[in-house]
Each structure stands twice: as structure tokens, then as C-alpha cells.
Amino acid sequence: ISGKKRTFIPPTITEIKSYIQEKNLTVDAETFYFHYESQGWMIGKNKMKSWTATIQNWNRKNKINHKFNTSKNKEVLI
């Protein structure tokens, strides 16, 4: 086990787009990039450790929100 810490290197939009395509995710690359770029690649008060894990969380939340919104908006016919 190495005692060295990995230094976080922010991804480029191209890297984000490639990752999204490779993993077939439903995240907008530019929205993700500009959100975290404006936040200094921080999540709350903590420095981001893994942008790939963060983008996976965005994808999961998108699916949950989409599922909730589509079921909530269905009309009940009487």
C-alpha cells in the first residue's frame, strides 16, 4: 500500500463526454463541467476526489428524479 495521495486533476469536457458515452449515462457533460468548474471542483466544503464517481451519482439522481416526475405527472382517468 502506497502512502502517497493522488492529486485530483479536473477532467476536460471531452473526457466527461467520452466517459458519459462509454458508460451510457444520462448526464449533460457541459452542465456537469460548468457546475463543478464554478465550484472549484468542490462538493460542499470538500475537495472532489473522483469525478467519475460524482458523475455516476448525478446519473443515479437523474434516473430517480425522472422516474418520480413521470409517475407524478400521470393523469388519473375516471
Side-chain angles (χ1 to χ4, degrees):
I1 299 174
S2 175
K4 292 183 181 181
K5 275 190 165 184
R6 286 189 194 168
T7 302
F8 176 78
I9 300 169
T12 64
I13 292 177
T14 304
E15 288 173 318
I16 294 169
K17 286 180 180 180
S18 294
Y19 185 78
I20 288 170
Q21 186 175 12
E22 176 187 320
K23 299 293 184 181
N24 198 28
L25 305 177
T26 59
V27 175
D28 182 74
E30 291 184 357
T31 301
F32 179 85
Y33 176 84
F34 289 118
H35 173 78
Y36 284 109
E37 184 69 17
S38 70
Q39 300 298 317
W41 295 92
M42 303 281 282
I43 300 174
K45 294 181 180 182
N46 301 308
K47 290 181 181 180
M48 186 179 293
K49 294 178 183 175
S50 169
W51 67 266
T52 56
T54 304
I55 209 164
Q56 291 284 353
N57 280 332
W58 271 45
N59 187 67
R60 184 178 49 81
K61 288 177 184 177
N62 280 349
K63 285 183 178 180
I64 291 168
N65 288 337
H66 179 71
K67 186 183 244 184
F68 175 75
N69 287 336
T70 54
S71 64
K72 182 176 149 183
N73 293 334
K74 288 183 181 174
E75 293 182 31
V76 177
L77 300 175
I78 301 174

